[in-house]
Amino acid sequence: MNRGKNWERLRQETVDICIIGAGASGTGAALDAALRGYSVALIDRGDFAGETSSRSTKLIHGGVRYLEQAIKKLDLAQLRQVHHGLAERRTVIRNAPHLAHPLAILTPVFSWFEGMYMTIGLTLYDFIAGHDAFPKGRWLNKAQAFEKIPTLTRQMHSAVLYYDGQFNDARYALALAHSADEAGAAVVNYAAVTGFGYENGQLETATVKDQLTGETLTVRAKVFLNCTGPYADTIRLLANPALDSRIRPSKGVHIVLPRETLQSDYAILIPKTTDGRVVFAIPFGDKVFVGTTDNDYSDLTREPVLEPDEVDYLLETVRPYLDKMPTRADVQAGFGGIRPLIVSSRADTKTLLRDHEVEHDSVSGLLSLLGGKWTTYRLMAQDAIDRAGELLNKTVPGNTEKHYLVGGENYSFEDWQVLQSHYNFPVDTCQHLMQTYGTRAEQVAMLTQMQLGLAEKLTDSQPFIQAEVVYQVREEMAVTLRDVLARRWRLELSNWHLTAQLAPQVADLMAAELGWSDNHRLEQIQTYQNLLASFVKQAGLTPGRSEMITM
């Protein structure tokens, strides 16, 4: 992806569809539209998946909570959502097998009755999923459960095992954007819509400002599609100030604990909490993510961050399920996101559906894709582009169900051994490259033969090599330190202290590629390290396992 060339395309071309927002729904819609043959622009005021779409629980699922509510309340809408999610999870994995895979999840229970209840529910979950490639769940006795996760509480009666999917959300969105770019879309990050132009009352142009240079240009499109998630009302009201708000933002956070918390590749589902939520403890890389919370959130101008009461809540929730109690000193990082829940008459955000809606404002002509969740991003995109095709009077069927994303086609994880034999990288680096770039890993590796030193690791404790930063700048449109460390790698999510330590090395590599001045390089480092330090402070974490971030 070449940002400069795509920016010039925005200036020169009139496109069929301009998609605003490059999270799950926006990148999915861009690929869908490009594959149908429409001319497409995809823009975002920040990075790809820079907000909510990079801060999920990393699960691809039908929704165990939705199934329980559907049965208890005889709610067909929730049951339909479970069915859609379970059908889509196999597609999400099939199309990018390097970024997504099945995940085994245990639910500890504390009585025979509770075990039977969960077994019946999860058997129904498997039944709705049909004959897919996922293993079927089963009820485990206490000894079998300890074999899977040795750190579980000795107080449990037994555990129920089931399977869902896990994925790297930020890189999945990046793969969608990259695939859309290769299908012909003009894809540009850090391009913010600041206003619209009209002809006969209908949207005709958008004023777009380059967030890096301050330059502005006018994008001309026949249809504008708003895919900005929790920020959808901002674009809706910019296009038509008379519209009512439709989004009720909800904040969800995760805390990050050491891998030793579970000592397992299996995750834990905590099916009931003090306030009626479900919480997961999920292995991700060398850490365990615990979340999420669910609270109303009103200040969309402020990044959602981990706060002390949220740390305490998640620790208290997970403690009864583990033999060794995790403490605040074990928390190494955390992250928060905002769910784009659609306004309804339901009482609180825990009971709001995550389903989606395609809204057409007949006054301005704006299309908005509202609500939804990661698992069903493809269906959401398909519905939105179907509607866009109707407005264009040029309907074309979608074909994304079996379209491999960048790095996914002909992927085999075992090819890491071929990578090692050709380039002599450490095992952890080879495996990381395959799971991060898929069949494009060879392109990253080849850079190490063209420039001395790029095969070097940035730190012994992680698999990252210098060549990745060069590749991410040249091929994946990384333009800030956070683009690399938070999204193309996921280090910011898992270890604030180490992220701050590696920032100068990454900045040096980026500066050489992007032509940064010394002042700009130092500003990038200081700004990012200050941000990381503020996360520690706002979470109320004291020096311990997470250590202090020093500049």
Side-chain angles (χ1 to χ4, degrees):
M1 295 190 290
N2 187 299
R3 188 174 184 275
K5 288 182 180 179
N6 285 355
W7 178 258
E8 286 306 310
R9 286 184 60 192
L10 295 183
R11 187 194 311 279
Q12 296 169 11
E13 298 177 12
T14 297
V15 297
D16 292 323
I17 307 170
C18 176
I19 299 167
I20 305 165
S25 59
T27 55
L31 177 59
D32 188 307
L35 291 178
R36 298 193 203 199
Y38 298 124
S39 56
V40 181
L42 172 66
I43 56 178
D44 194 292
R45 67 178 184 179
D47 191 22
F48 309 110
E51 301 286 350
T52 299
S53 294
S54 62
R55 302 173 187 180
S56 73
T57 307
K58 322 298 180 230
L59 286 178
I60 313 158
H61 62 103
V64 173
R65 182 182 75 183
Y66 302 133
L67 177 61
E68 184 177 28
Q69 293 299 318
I71 294 171
K72 284 183 176 180
K73 298 180 180 181
L74 299 177
D75 189 333
L76 293 180
Q78 297 221 38
L79 189 60
R80 184 173 62 250
Q81 187 173 351
V82 173
H83 179 265
H84 287 162
L86 289 173
E88 282 300 299
R89 68 178 185 178
R90 62 176 172 265
T91 302
V92 172
I93 292 174
R94 178 209 173 272
N95 290 349
H98 57 306
L99 300 174
H101 56 85
L103 175 70
I105 304 174
L106 281 187
T107 303
V109 297
F110 296 87
S111 69
W112 180 90
F113 176 80
E114 191 179 2
M116 179 59 70
Y117 177 80
M118 291 298 300
T119 299
I120 292 171
L122 292 171
T123 299
L124 178 59
Y125 194 67
D126 284 341
F127 176 77
I128 295 172
H131 300 289
D132 58 18
F134 281 69
K136 299 305 178 185
R138 63 187 190 277
W139 195 355
L140 306 179
N141 62 35
K142 194 171 183 177
Q144 290 171 324
F146 284 135
E147 287 177 6
K148 308 298 185 188
I149 304 180
T151 59
L152 289 173
T153 175
R154 270 43 188 169
Q155 304 303 313
M156 71 175 174
H157 171 273
S158 53
V160 180
L161 170 66
Y162 78 103
Y163 291 81
D164 257 327
Q166 183 177 39
F167 76 135
N168 185 333
D169 52 8
R171 288 208 65 91
Y172 207 101
L174 177 65
L176 285 165
H178 201 160
S179 300
D181 180 276
E182 294 192 353
V187 175
V188 181
N189 56 0
Y190 294 98
V193 172
T194 60
F196 287 108
Y198 303 80
E199 181 174 330
N200 299 322
Q202 297 278 294
L203 298 181
E204 183 184 44
T205 62
T207 302
V208 177
K209 182 176 181 180
D210 188 326
Q211 300 296 89
L212 305 177
T213 67
E215 180 185 1
T216 62
L217 55 69
T218 299
V219 173
R220 295 170 296 278
K222 298 171 186 175
V223 174
F224 287 90
L225 173 59
N226 172 19
C227 292
T228 54
Y231 309 95
D233 283 337
T234 301
I235 298 297
R236 292 174 67 250
L237 294 173
L238 188 64
N240 180 0
L243 291 173
D244 293 329
S245 296
R246 293 296 315 281
I247 298 298
R248 183 173 174 182
S250 168
K251 178 186 178 186
V253 301
H254 296 76
I255 58 172
V256 179
L257 298 171
R259 178 81 178 194
E260 303 82 67
T261 304
L262 298 183
Q263 296 179 24
S264 175
D265 291 328
Y266 287 64
I268 297 175
L269 164 65
I270 298 172
K272 56 184 180 181
T273 62
T274 55
D275 52 359
R277 304 168 185 165
V278 297
V279 167
F280 292 90
I282 295 179
F284 190 89
D286 62 350
K287 296 293 185 290
V288 171
F289 294 169
V290 178
T292 179
T293 58
D294 196 340
N295 298 103
D296 280 323
Y297 195 72
S298 58
D299 188 1
L300 293 180
T301 63
R302 185 169 63 92
E303 178 175 347
V305 296
L306 188 63
E307 298 178 18
D309 61 329
E310 295 165 333
V311 175
D312 294 337
Y313 168 81
L314 290 172
L315 286 173
E316 290 300 321
T317 298
V318 77
R319 277 172 184 156
Y321 292 82
L322 297 174
D323 189 47
K324 181 177 181 293
M325 308 299 187
T327 68
R328 291 174 68 78
D330 294 313
V331 178
Q332 299 182 340
F335 55 96
I338 308 173
R339 301 179 187 87
L341 304 179
I342 303 175
V343 168
S344 81
S345 59
R346 294 171 187 251
D348 57 65
T349 59
K350 291 187 292 296
T351 59
L352 287 181
L353 274 175
R354 296 287 297 281
D355 217 345
H356 68 276
E357 175 185 333
V358 180
E359 175 196 72
H360 177 233
D361 173 30
S362 59
V363 174
S364 69
L366 179 71
L367 266 187
S368 293
L369 178 50
L370 307 175
K373 64 177 183 177
W374 244 118
T375 304
T376 53
Y377 85 87
R378 196 188 64 82
L379 293 181
M380 295 159 53
Q382 182 174 278
D383 288 349
I385 301 305
D386 282 348
R387 188 71 180 95
E390 293 172 6
L391 295 174
L392 291 165
N393 293 315
K394 187 170 65 172
T395 58
V396 181
N399 62 341
T400 55
E401 185 175 3
K402 294 185 177 180
H403 183 83
Y404 285 104
L405 303 188
V406 162
E409 192 168 8
N410 300 319
Y411 170 77
S412 171
F413 173 63
E414 298 306 319
D415 284 347
W416 71 263
Q417 298 173 46
V418 178
L419 211 58
Q420 187 186 39
S421 67
H422 287 173
Y423 297 95
N424 200 32
F425 298 148
V427 170
D428 64 336
T429 293
C430 294
Q431 294 180 347
H432 157 72
L433 291 175
M434 288 305 301
Q435 291 174 318
T436 304
Y437 308 95
T439 54
R440 302 288 173 101
E442 178 83 10
Q443 295 184 17
V444 181
M446 287 173 61
L447 292 173
T448 65
Q449 297 186 335
M450 301 175 184
Q451 187 173 332
L452 192 65
L454 291 186
E456 297 296 320
K457 279 188 172 188
L458 274 75
T459 177
D460 290 339
S461 66
Q462 297 292 327
F464 312 134
I465 59 172
Q466 295 185 23
E468 293 180 76
V469 180
V470 174
Y471 179 83
Q472 289 164 11
V473 170
R474 293 181 185 177
E475 303 293 336
E476 297 183 342
M477 217 177 280
V479 292
T480 74
L481 283 178
R482 205 174 187 193
D483 294 346
V484 171
L485 287 159
R487 288 175 289 275
R488 283 149 190 80
W489 292 332
R490 310 313 311 275
L491 191 61
E492 181 193 301
L493 270 62
S494 61
N495 191 321
W496 287 332
H497 177 70
L498 184 57
T499 301
Q501 279 189 326
L502 297 187
Q505 292 183 61
V506 174
D508 288 346
L509 291 162
M510 296 187 76
E513 286 295 311
L514 294 168
W516 289 352
S517 66
D518 285 344
N519 285 341
H520 185 72
R521 179 180 60 83
L522 290 171
E523 182 183 357
Q524 281 269 328
I525 295 168
Q526 186 171 25
T527 299
Y528 192 34
Q529 289 181 334
N530 286 341
L531 179 68
L532 294 166
S534 74
F535 291 162
V536 176
K537 183 178 180 180
Q538 290 173 92
L541 300 179
T542 54
R545 298 278 315 247
S546 63
E547 304 181 62
M548 287 295 287
I549 293 173
T550 55
M551 270 65 78

